[in-house]
Amino acid sequence: RKEVEQDPGPFNVPEGATVAFNCTYSNSASQSFFWYRQDCRKEPKLLMSVYSSGNEDGRFTAQLNRASQYISLLIRDSKLSDSATYLCVVNYYQAGTALIFGKGTTLSVSS
Amino acid sequence: NAGVTQTPKFRILKIGQSMTLQCAQDMNHNYMYWYRQDPGMGLKLIYYSVGAGITDKGEVPNGYNVSRSTTEDFPLRLELAAPSQTSVYFCASSYSLKETQYFGPGTRLLVL
């Protein structure tokens, strides 16, 4: 069974903290990887794609370890506005499966 | 561009009633998808379409039907609503299977 597993949290951190989320996926045939952000009662929105070499977008850094089938997201200098649920998403490029979503990790940043 | 739009935003149905959830996109995307999200759960794919006239089942298609007569529109039909279909429904689109999916704002459905 194709699955994406995430620690559901919640992660409660103060402003300015660094927080890391982890995600594992079961199918080694996975082709592409993403982190989506979902605010309460809103639609998921792409936060960033995850590349094999690792990639950074401002305060956000994503890492991929294909050998361990493991994806991570690091958020530095947390802001109140970072409070949301972060979804780990894997694409198998197979008809009928499209994106496989993790259940999400909830982050709450407090002042 | 409006992106992906969905109507209605919220609906209450009685058991056995039917309804159509509307979805439209103006990005000329070939691929469109319907997901449902239950509380505390990940999104589950209901149906998807790779272009006008072509649809296929996802992970949880039972109780739903779709059609794709145009590139822009991808309605989801519930024929006999059941309490198990209480959920938030998201429509999404992408240029290809490899590309980022863009989501609509969702339709909250309550079946009583």
Side-chain angles (χ1 to χ4, degrees):
Chain A
R1 174 172 169 80
K2 307 182 186 76
E3 287 186 342
V4 176
E5 302 287 341
Q6 291 183 253
D7 181 343
F11 284 64
N12 299 304
V13 302
E15 276 187 291
T18 295
V19 61
F21 304 141
N22 302 320
C23 167
T24 58
Y25 59 96
S26 60
N27 191 323
S28 59
S30 303
Q31 300 285 345
S32 57
F33 310 88
F34 309 91
W35 284 101
Y36 275 70
R37 170 190 169 132
Q38 187 172 25
D39 293 295
C40 186
R41 303 174 73 84
K42 298 286 189 180
E43 72 273 23
K45 293 185 178 180
L46 179 69
L47 177 67
M48 58 196 304
S49 300
V50 186
Y51 303 117
S52 296
S53 56
N55 48 299
E56 187 174 304
D57 183 2
R59 298 181 293 108
F60 299 85
T61 300
Q63 297 280 352
L64 168 65
N65 185 322
R66 285 188 181 270
S68 300
Q69 296 180 202
Y70 171 94
I71 306 162
S72 66
L73 177 67
L74 182 74
I75 304 176
R76 292 181 300 278
D77 189 23
S78 298
K79 311 291 185 189
L80 293 175
S81 57
D82 293 334
S83 296
T85 297
Y86 292 83
L87 308 176
C88 178
V89 185
V90 172
N91 191 338
Y92 293 98
Y93 291 1
Q94 294 176 10
T97 55
L99 299 182
I100 306 298
F101 287 81
K103 294 180 181 179
T105 297
T106 300
L107 172 66
S108 178
V109 182
S110 56
S111 58
Chain B
N1 287 351
V4 181
T5 58
Q6 291 184 241
T7 58
K9 290 184 179 180
F10 178 69
R11 182 75 182 269
I12 298 175
L13 281 183
K14 294 181 179 179
I15 294 172
Q17 285 186 319
S18 61
M19 76 165 292
T20 299
L21 283 67
Q22 301 291 345
C23 174
Q25 53 90 10
D26 61 359
M27 298 176 280
N28 201 32
H29 283 167
N30 293 319
Y31 287 72
M32 295 189 74
Y33 315 84
W34 274 106
Y35 294 91
R36 61 176 286 173
Q37 186 177 34
D38 299 323
M41 302 296 288
L43 281 79
K44 300 292 186 183
L45 183 66
I46 304 171
Y47 271 95
Y48 71 102
S49 169
V50 303
I54 307 170
T55 63
D56 207 346
K57 297 177 180 178
E59 183 181 358
V60 290
N62 291 343
Y64 307 94
N65 280 299
V66 293
S67 59
R68 184 98 180 269
S69 56
T70 67
T71 300
E72 294 78 19
D73 300 298
F74 190 39
L76 178 72
R77 179 82 177 163
L78 283 71
E79 292 294 349
L80 291 169
S84 61
Q85 293 178 304
T86 293
S87 190
V88 181
Y89 292 84
F90 289 105
C91 178
S93 72
S94 65
Y95 180 72
S96 73
L97 198 56
K98 299 180 181 182
E99 301 293 330
T100 301
Q101 291 187 13
Y102 296 88
F103 285 80
T107 294
R108 297 183 177 278
L109 177 65
L110 179 60
V111 182
L112 299 174

